Amino acid sequence: MKIDNRIVEGLRLKDVPENKTKEIHFYANGKSIFLSSMTEEKLINEEQLDMFQHWIEETTLNLPTYQTLLEILETEGNVV
């Protein structure tokens, strides 16, 4: 699995205790976009494989190119 280092540098994992979820966001150029979330319950209760690792891999493998992410940030990103 090879991912553009610029994308990796912009990924952030965020705990959202009030929703009991973890979220993945992408940050660049002073903006952020939400990419994915998963409930803590699902991360803990799935015994057949490491759901946390699977969730991270699935999210990152399905990302568009770095340039496309920047274009999305420009039009839809939240200022941070």
Side-chain angles (χ1 to χ4, degrees), residues 13-70:
L13 183 64
K14 179 179 175 184
D15 273 322
V16 185
E18 60 272 10
N19 296 337
K20 296 183 180 177
T21 61
K22 293 191 182 295
E23 298 179 349
I24 299 174
H25 294 257
F26 178 74
Y27 290 81
N29 301 333
K31 291 187 174 186
S32 74
I33 53 172
F34 167 83
L35 298 175
S36 179
S37 70
M38 184 170 282
T39 65
E40 291 175 3
E41 180 180 336
K42 182 159 178 106
L43 288 169
I44 294 169
N45 289 335
E46 299 290 335
E47 296 176 7
Q48 67 270 21
L49 62 111
D50 182 347
M51 283 304 295
F52 183 76
Q53 180 178 344
H54 177 73
W55 171 56
I56 298 289
E57 288 174 355
E58 192 71 25
T59 299
T60 54
L61 285 174
N62 290 313
L63 288 176
T65 65
Y66 181 73
Q67 187 59 40
T68 302
L69 281 171
L70 291 181

